[in-house]
Amino acid sequence: MIFTFAFILSVLSIQAADIKAIIDAFKSGDATLLAICMDTEVDMALPETARQVNGQEAVNLLTRFFAAGKVSGFTVAHHADKKESGFIVGKLVTEKGDFRVNITYQTREDKAIIQSLRIE
């Protein structure tokens, strides 16, 4: 009984990172909402560029990407949290076509902090 209680308590203490800000930003096509989610350095890969940038430059690149084709939807195809990290795979629908989005993040204080972002 003590083992069962300890197991349940340990499962309840594992919390998933809050990815709502990331999902909302992609659904609305508003990269400024991601400013609080960007790490100091982010590996970025967009159709026109792939490089490591600082968090503000990542937001700027996404702002230009979203401006090039109005976003009309975003759905999460897969999401997984591990101990201190996680990833999101989604489909971004724009007026220029559909894109696959891959995001990896670290969990800090229950928030998802983007480490890499790939749109293809």
Side-chain angles (χ1 to χ4, degrees), residues 19-56:
I19 63 169
K20 185 177 179 341
I22 296 171
I23 304 304
D24 290 347
F26 275 91
K27 281 184 177 180
S28 66
D30 186 354
T32 60
L33 297 175
L34 291 173
I36 61 170
C37 302
M38 292 294 180
D39 202 359
T40 308
E41 296 289 323
V42 179
D43 289 323
M44 289 285 295
L46 299 172
E48 70 276 358
T49 187
R51 64 182 194 260
Q52 189 171 37
V53 296
N54 67 42
Q56 185 56 53

Side-chain angles (χ1 to χ4, degrees), residues 44-71:
M44 289 285 295
L46 299 172
E48 70 276 358
T49 187
R51 64 182 194 260
Q52 189 171 37
V53 296
N54 67 42
Q56 185 56 53
E57 182 63 18
V59 171
N60 293 342
L61 287 169
L62 277 174
T63 297
R64 288 194 295 272
F65 178 81
F66 289 151
K70 184 179 176 188
V71 173

